[in-house]
Amino acid sequence: MCNCLRNRLLVDCVFVSYSCNASDTLHSRDKNQEKVLEDGNTRGMLRHIKDNNKVCLVVLDHAGFSTNREDLEQLVSDNENLQKIIVDTLPFNNQVTIYERQKVLDEQQTMKAFECKNRPLQRPK
């Protein structure tokens, strides 16, 4: 799956968090996660955002990344390097949603879709 992400979405890094709840804050995730998959976990992703310019974060679906809208808005607010969040649901509904940094900061309800209570979408193996 990670190779598919690299090839289809042309991402530079893949960060995998396998032991957290979607409602957990990003900073509280992976504290006890010893096994690191691919390029790191949520903590590695947060470091990558801080250490690199013009970061575009690509996630597989809203609920698979986070259901904590306030935490995501804070992530965008605290990290000027994070320019976009792209939600890729092409395999399921032929849609890609792009959240631009400035719009997230200016319009309070922009990221309301992350408040979903649905299960994360299941990708085919």
Side-chain angles (χ1 to χ4, degrees):
M1 178 185 219
C2 292
N3 285 335
C4 180
L5 293 174
R6 289 183 199 280
N7 295 332
R8 188 171 66 80
L9 300 174
L10 303 175
V11 297
D12 295 326
C13 302
V14 176
F15 299 97
V16 179
S17 181
Y18 59 86
S19 62
C20 65
N21 294 318
S23 61
D24 291 347
T25 63
L26 295 170
H27 288 285
S28 70
R29 294 182 182 184
D30 306 324
K31 287 184 177 179
N32 299 320
Q33 183 179 343
E34 294 183 23
K35 183 177 181 182
V36 177
L37 303 173
E38 293 304 312
D39 297 307
N41 54 26
T42 305
R43 294 182 175 283
M45 178 195 71
L46 294 173
R47 266 191 311 278
H48 182 81
I49 292 169
K50 285 199 180 299
D51 295 345
N52 292 277
N53 292 322
K54 295 186 179 179
V55 174
C56 175
L57 183 63
V58 180
V59 300
L60 299 181
D61 73 86
H62 294 90
F65 181 53
S66 180
T67 58
N68 188 333
R69 186 188 78 184
E70 292 83 13
D71 187 49
L72 290 176
E73 289 169 345
Q74 191 65 49
L75 173 73
V76 173
S77 177
D78 291 348
N79 294 280
E80 290 182 27
N81 294 339
L82 182 57
Q83 297 298 303
K84 296 178 186 177
I85 298 176
I86 297 176
V87 180
D88 171 34
T89 56
L90 275 173
F92 306 102
N93 59 17
N94 286 336
Q95 291 183 342
V96 172
T97 307
I98 301 173
Y99 297 93
E100 302 274 351
R101 172 184 173 71
Q102 201 56 53
K103 188 171 182 179
V104 170
L105 296 175
D106 292 344
E107 299 177 23
Q108 186 115 29
Q109 296 298 313
T110 300
M111 297 183 78
K112 189 158 180 62
F114 283 97
E115 291 180 338
C116 60
K117 300 299 179 199
N118 299 335
R119 292 183 56 212
L121 299 172
Q122 297 296 309
R123 300 256 172 187
K125 295 193 185 228

